[in-house]
Amino acid sequence: MKKVLFALIAVFALSSTYAQTLEELKAEQTPKKDSIAAIQARVDALQAKIDALPGWKKGAFGTIGANLSGFSNWYAQGTPNNASGNIGITVNGFANLTEEKFFWRNAANVNLGWVKFDDKDNSEDDDSFKEATDVFTISSLYGRRLNKSFAISALGEYRTTILNNFNDPGYLDLGIGATWTPIQDLVVVIHPLNYNFVFAKNDAAFDSSLGAKIVADYTRQIGKVNFKSNFSTFQSYKDGDLSNWTWINSFGYTIWKGIGLGFEFGLRDNKQEALNYELTRAGGDVNATFDSVDNELQTYWLFGLNYAF
């Protein structure tokens, strides 16, 4: 009985000591966390001042997502012998020149993806990787400052695919107007005079036209987080069916030596592309028109490892 009582007393004493020590450590940890947050805030403030200095600012971050698998005699599924894979790569890069009287901003977004499903029991099955995601956009914006927030500007933007059907379609926007920079990392382009050149083999679905170009871009790095959101739209003066918009959002979180996690998703509305798909796909309606085609929202997303350059 004495031994049991002694053991209980010992356990209680150890528990009390552990609880006391844990509380003491937590109490000691709290002000250190506050100090780290204060230091990071000062570092971010200094980085903002550095970014605001004249001269070139360059950078890039990207995401790689991959999933590979193989099955042999896995009878529980419909295709017991197969090899499959999904690979995606996205890169966002920029090179910006900031001077007192003008600026020159250049950006690129590339998102490429491949998928494969090889049924090893089917000799006629295609065992190669096929193109899945295919996005390529480059832009160049030059502005002559009127004051700190407004500038007269000219923009060139080119969008296409590069793995499949390069420049079919391809879109080249050239226009002039004004650019608003209310804060350091936000750029809003409003160009009421813009020509949208469309390059494509199918003239029945695609047409170039004059219209207005609006772009809003927010690019920011906060500590270990990289963030970019770009919205680009063309509104045709000729016909609303020739208008289009694209919105791409990219996130990257650095965990260790530039490596981390990344996520990107994109949205697009383009009635010309919807009509072209209906006219050219197998089993499509060869008599489809802008009025009859079902123009659904286009989307894509990619999640995987991220690397910040």
Side-chain angles (χ1 to χ4, degrees):
M1 184 66 180
K2 290 182 177 180
K3 291 182 178 180
V4 174
L5 184 60
F6 177 77
L8 291 173
I9 293 172
V11 170
F12 178 76
L14 288 172
S15 299
S16 300
T17 303
Y18 172 77
Q20 183 180 6
T21 303
L22 180 61
E23 292 302 324
E24 290 174 352
L25 290 174
K26 285 184 176 180
E28 185 179 350
Q29 185 185 50
T30 300
K32 288 182 170 57
K33 285 185 175 180
D34 294 339
S35 299
I36 293 172
I39 292 171
Q40 186 62 55
R42 291 197 295 270
V43 171
D44 292 342
L46 288 173
Q47 185 62 51
K49 291 181 179 179
I50 292 172
D51 294 339
L53 292 174
W56 282 100
K57 304 293 186 302
K58 304 174 184 178
F61 68 97
T63 300
I64 299 176
N67 181 10
L68 304 175
S69 64
F71 290 87
S72 179
N73 300 322
W74 200 264
Y75 298 117
Q77 60 186 21
T79 310
N81 302 291
N82 72 75
S84 63
N86 188 322
I87 300 173
I89 301 172
T90 178
V91 177
N92 290 280
F94 66 89
N96 300 330
L97 175 62
T98 302
E99 297 292 346
E100 182 179 356
K101 295 184 178 181
F102 70 92
F103 59 81
W104 185 22
R105 303 176 62 91
N106 304 278
N109 171 262
V110 182
N111 190 314
L112 308 176
W114 298 263
V115 295
K116 142 180 183 173
F117 186 87
D118 175 21
D119 182 356
K120 295 183 178 180
D121 296 325
N122 183 357
S123 59
E124 298 180 357
D125 189 32
D126 186 357
D127 61 355
S128 63
F129 277 92
K130 299 179 181 178
E131 300 86 354
T133 306
D134 195 353
V135 179
F136 178 79
T137 304
I138 57 173
S139 64
S140 183
L141 173 68
Y142 177 84
R144 197 74 182 178
R145 297 186 187 279
L146 299 176
N147 53 45
K148 184 178 179 180
S149 301
F150 288 94
I152 300 299
S153 57
L155 171 70
E157 181 185 82
Y158 177 67
R159 309 181 309 281
T160 186
T161 55
I162 56 178
L163 296 179
N164 194 9
N165 298 327
F166 175 73
N167 205 40
D168 184 24
Y171 305 90
L172 175 63
D173 280 293
L174 297 175
I176 57 174
T179 294
W180 179 43
T181 53
I183 58 177
Q184 179 182 329
D185 302 300
L186 176 62
V187 178
V188 180
V189 179
I190 304 173
H191 285 179
L193 186 59
N194 181 93
Y195 200 83
N196 179 236
F197 296 90
V198 183
F199 310 100
K201 296 177 181 178
N202 188 1
D203 294 336
F206 296 100
D207 193 10
S208 303
S209 65
L210 182 69
K213 183 74 173 180
I214 300 175
V215 178
D217 184 275
Y218 185 78
T219 304
R220 182 82 184 272
Q221 180 177 355
I222 306 175
K224 296 181 178 181
V225 178
N226 289 289
F227 172 78
K228 180 179 178 66
S229 180
N230 182 278
F231 177 81
S232 176
T233 179
F234 169 75
Q235 298 298 313
S236 175
Y237 295 147
K238 181 178 180 180
D239 190 331
D241 292 329
L242 304 181
S243 302
N244 62 76
W245 61 264
T246 301
W247 186 25
I248 297 177
N249 298 272
S250 305
F251 306 87
Y253 179 75
T254 302
I255 298 175
W256 177 73
K257 293 187 177 181
I259 301 174
L261 297 176
F263 177 68
E264 178 171 300
F265 72 90
L267 306 173
R268 174 178 288 173
D269 180 271
N270 191 314
K271 204 165 188 178
Q272 294 183 93
E273 292 178 353
L275 177 59
N276 180 65
Y277 176 72
E278 183 65 27
L279 292 173
T280 57
R281 72 181 178 89
D285 182 4
V286 296
N287 297 315
T289 64
F290 282 122
D291 294 330
S292 65
V293 71
D294 187 9
N295 181 31
E296 296 184 354
L297 181 67
Q298 304 176 40
T299 67
Y300 77 82
W301 63 270
L302 174 68
F303 176 78
L305 293 177
N306 175 272
Y307 186 77
F309 299 92

